[in-house]
């Protein structure tokens, strides 16, 4: 715990740093662009299919889950690259685990999306 006084300016700056991090993620991480395109497509499909409130809730949680794991994966990868630029099987295993977390999040999101979208698409046919 710090003894710093509360400052609105410091809080505002922290939002600026967060947005800078997201901007850098989108600029330098190719997978983040894939997630962004998927996010936009899902939102458009949800609007078109007029999802119910509970369905939007599930979709938003799934999208957030993927984005959070992608950001944490990027943090792990960059930290490991900072620690050592040489090939190290232990660092490789750590990076693989972080990438696996993104894969699990993405598969979970796809599954949730399938439960919501497939019946609605079938109903349209």
């Amino acid at each position: 715990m710090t003894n710093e006084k509360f400052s609105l300016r410091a809080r505002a700056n922290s939002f600026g740093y967060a947005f800078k991090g997201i901007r850098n993620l989108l600029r330098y991480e190719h997978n983040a662009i894939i997630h962004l395109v998927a996010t936009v497509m899902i939102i458009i499909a949800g609007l078109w299919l007029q999802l119910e409130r509970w369905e939007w809730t599930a979709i938003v949680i799934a999208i957030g889950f993927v984005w959070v794991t992608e950001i944490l994966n990027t943090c792990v990868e960059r930290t490991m690259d900072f620690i050592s630029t040489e090939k190290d099987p232990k660092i490789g295993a750590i990076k693989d685990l972080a990438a696996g977390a993104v894969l699990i999040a993405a598969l979970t999101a796809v599954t949730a999306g399938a439960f919501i979208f497939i019946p609605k698409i079938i109903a349209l046919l």
Side-chain angles (χ1 to χ4, degrees):
M1 182 172 215
T2 64
N3 291 330
E4 292 180 29
K5 291 180 93 179
F6 179 81
S7 162
L8 286 176
R9 178 173 289 182
R11 298 296 59 82
N13 287 342
S14 69
F15 278 98
Y17 300 138
F19 284 117
K20 181 180 176 184
I22 293 168
R23 211 172 32 252
N24 285 334
L25 179 79
L26 292 170
R27 183 177 296 149
Y28 300 113
E29 297 298 323
H30 298 134
N31 288 340
I33 298 300
I34 294 168
H35 295 309
L36 180 62
V37 169
T39 297
V40 170
M41 289 173 51
I42 291 300
I43 291 170
I44 290 169
L47 292 169
W48 179 60
L49 292 169
Q50 299 178 340
L51 297 185
E52 295 178 29
R53 185 172 296 193
W54 73 267
E55 293 168 321
W56 275 117
T57 301
I59 293 297
V60 167
I61 290 169
I63 289 170
F65 185 42
V66 172
W67 278 104
V68 167
T69 54
E70 180 61 42
I71 290 168
L72 292 174
N73 175 53
T74 300
C75 291
V76 168
E77 287 181 353
R78 289 186 183 179
T79 301
M80 294 300 104
D81 290 344
F82 180 76
I83 290 171
S84 175
T85 56
E86 296 178 19
K87 289 272 187 189
D88 182 321
K90 291 177 183 175
I91 287 178
I94 292 167
K95 291 168 90 172
D96 291 347
L97 284 168
V102 178
L103 178 61
I104 289 170
L107 291 174
T108 301
V110 167
T111 303
F115 283 133
I116 292 169
F117 285 103
I118 289 174
K120 291 186 175 297
I121 292 169
I122 290 172
L124 290 176
L125 302 176

